[in-house]
């Protein structure tokens, strides 16, 4: 699957440094526990200054989550969704791949997801924090989807209808990603890594498009 981010050099460097800090936080907290890990230790492991750490995350908890509410990230996310390549001919397929890429843009792949899940199991408030932070970006995702649709020449009767259609399409085309994660988690014979999720997503997309064709 080709889901390379469409972004500026500065945005890529920012994303990679954020991912590095996030990965360091996850590794340290998994090995030593939340109470024993400080911002200074995370910064040292990520090879950045504590001042640089706070440019990316306000707390160590947010560094573990790997995401923070930020107007800069929100604006970059919206542009990313609008411009994401390649553009696929079928709208449902295009939006499904774009939504997956948007979540990867927000949540870096560099951290060990098994460790992150174990940490969230020990500290449920971190899981809640992650969900709340993701919700912060839901409107940017919907707005980006709407503009992406409009670039295809698709129009609606009025602004309210266009907004509701974009929200509905965002929900609909999130299904393959949600199904892929659920399928990968239930496959207990394989470790839930990026390759496994990629395979599950490819299978989910194929099933999704088949079902849409049969519903016509």
């Amino acid at each position: 699957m080709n889901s390379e981010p469409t972004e500026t050099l500065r945005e890529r460097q920012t994303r990679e440094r954020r991912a590095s800090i996030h990965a360091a936080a996850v590794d340290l907290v998994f090995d030593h526990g939340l109470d024993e890990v400080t911002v200074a230790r995370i910064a040292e492991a990520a090879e950045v200054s504590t001042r640089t750490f706070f440019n990316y995350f306000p707390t160590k908890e947010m560094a573990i989550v790997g995401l923070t509410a930020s107007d800069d990230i929100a604006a970059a996310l919206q542009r990313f969704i609008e411009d994401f390549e390649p553009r696929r001919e079928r709208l449902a397929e295009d939006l499904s791949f774009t939504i997956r890429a948007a979540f990867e843009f927000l949540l870096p792949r560099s951290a060990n997801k098994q460790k992150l899940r174990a940490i969230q199991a020990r500290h449920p408030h971190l899981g809640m924090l992650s969900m709340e932070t993701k919700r912060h970006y839901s409107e940017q995702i919907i707005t980006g989807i709407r503009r992406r649709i409009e670039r295809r020449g698709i129009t609606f009767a009025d602004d309210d209808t266009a907004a509701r259609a974009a929200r509905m399409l965002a929900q609909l085309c999130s299904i393959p990603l949600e199904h892929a994660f659920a399928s990968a988690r239930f496959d207990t014979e394989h470790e839930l890594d990026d390759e496994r999720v990629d395979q599950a997503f490819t299978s989910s997309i194929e099933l999704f498009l088949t079902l849409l064709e049969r519903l016509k």
Side-chain angles (χ1 to χ4, degrees):
M1 179 190 66
N2 184 352
S3 60
E4 289 300 315
T6 303
E7 58 191 337
T8 66
L9 176 60
R10 180 181 178 184
E11 287 170 347
R12 179 176 62 80
Q13 291 173 337
T14 296
R15 178 174 55 83
E16 288 175 350
R17 181 159 290 178
R18 181 159 49 95
S20 176
I21 296 170
H22 170 53
V26 169
D27 287 342
L28 285 171
V29 171
F30 180 82
D31 291 339
H32 304 288
L34 182 62
D35 293 337
E36 298 300 317
V37 175
T38 63
V39 166
R41 288 185 69 181
I42 296 170
E44 181 181 6
E47 299 182 345
V48 299
S49 67
T50 53
R51 181 177 180 178
T52 298
F53 175 96
F54 286 116
N55 286 338
Y56 289 86
F57 299 104
T59 65
K60 67 181 181 182
E61 287 80 7
M62 294 303 289
I64 296 164
V65 168
L67 184 62
T68 186
S70 161
D71 291 340
D72 288 342
I73 294 175
L77 173 64
Q78 191 168 306
R79 289 195 304 272
F80 175 89
I81 293 170
E82 291 177 45
D83 298 333
F84 176 69
E85 298 287 349
R87 294 180 184 272
R88 292 166 171 84
E89 182 178 353
R90 289 179 290 186
L91 179 62
E93 182 180 17
D94 181 66
L95 296 184
S96 296
F97 274 93
T98 302
I99 288 168
R100 181 186 175 175
F103 278 103
E104 290 181 352
F105 178 88
L106 284 173
L107 300 171
R109 283 189 170 207
S110 60
N112 184 307
K113 290 181 174 59
Q114 296 282 6
K115 290 183 180 180
L116 183 56
R117 280 191 293 276
I119 292 169
Q120 291 177 342
R122 294 180 213 155
H123 306 283
H125 70 284
L126 293 178
M128 293 299 297
L129 182 62
S130 177
M131 291 177 62
E132 290 168 6
T133 308
K134 290 174 188 175
R135 289 194 194 103
H136 174 81
Y137 293 102
S138 61
E139 290 306 313
Q140 279 73 33
I141 292 174
I142 292 167
T143 300
I145 290 295
R146 177 176 174 177
R147 292 181 179 173
R148 191 173 180 88
I149 294 168
E150 289 170 348
R151 287 189 180 185
R152 298 173 72 106
I154 298 173
T155 59
F156 297 92
D158 52 53
D159 188 69
D160 179 64
T161 303
R164 289 189 294 111
R167 187 176 299 276
M168 184 177 290
L169 282 168
Q171 293 171 339
L172 175 67
C173 296
S174 297
I175 290 173
L177 181 59
E178 295 169 1
H179 182 268
F181 275 113
S183 299
R185 287 193 187 103
F186 281 121
D187 183 0
T188 57
E189 295 182 2
H190 299 88
E191 182 181 352
L192 182 55
D193 56 15
D194 290 337
E195 182 179 358
R196 181 64 190 156
V197 173
D198 284 343
Q199 292 171 350
F201 183 72
T202 298
S203 176
S204 294
I205 281 285
E206 292 173 355
L207 177 59
F208 179 61
L209 295 175
T210 298
L211 290 172
L212 290 179
E213 285 294 324
R214 292 182 179 179
L215 289 171
K216 285 184 177 179

